Amino acid sequence: MAPPVVMFPASELPVVAQTNLKGTKRKGFDGNLKTCELLEMLQYNCGVEEPVTRNSVVRCWPVEKFFRRCRDREGTFMVETTAWEGRGKGK
């Protein structure tokens, strides 16, 4: 079973990113996500137009996701920053 996901506003991401998986503050990372490498990934969200019809069309829409690859004393870690980057930012 997957662990529960903690919800928080995108504006708090720099503060939340300072905590590692053990729940302790990252050493060697000040929370400045802008200094981390920006990466992007394109995924697709697909759906069947008429699920009850046998030959129904499947339509897909692109979903752009942003990530930052950051570094602390233990190495690199990834943070999804899609909501924090906002539409059109980071490019």
Side-chain angles (χ1 to χ4, degrees), residues 8-84:
F8 56 89
S11 60
E12 292 180 15
L13 187 59
V15 174
V16 174
Q18 291 182 35
T19 305
N20 64 21
L21 293 176
K22 299 173 194 166
T24 59
K25 186 174 168 83
R26 293 184 188 277
K27 295 179 180 174
F29 178 67
D30 63 359
N32 186 359
L33 293 170
K34 293 283 185 189
T35 62
C36 302
E37 178 185 10
L38 177 64
L39 305 168
E40 62 182 291
M41 177 176 68
L42 194 61
Q43 291 183 315
Y44 291 88
N45 182 14
C46 301
V48 179
E49 281 192 353
E50 298 176 37
V52 294
T53 306
R54 181 178 179 137
N55 293 324
S56 184
V57 176
V58 176
R59 299 235 186 250
C60 297
W61 298 267
V63 178
E64 193 172 29
K65 302 252 181 155
F66 292 100
F67 298 85
R68 295 281 179 156
R69 183 180 0 229
C70 302
R71 178 174 291 281
D72 64 7
R73 288 189 192 158
E74 294 185 17
T76 60
F77 61 96
M78 300 281 283
V79 179
E80 183 182 351
T81 59
T82 304
W84 183 76

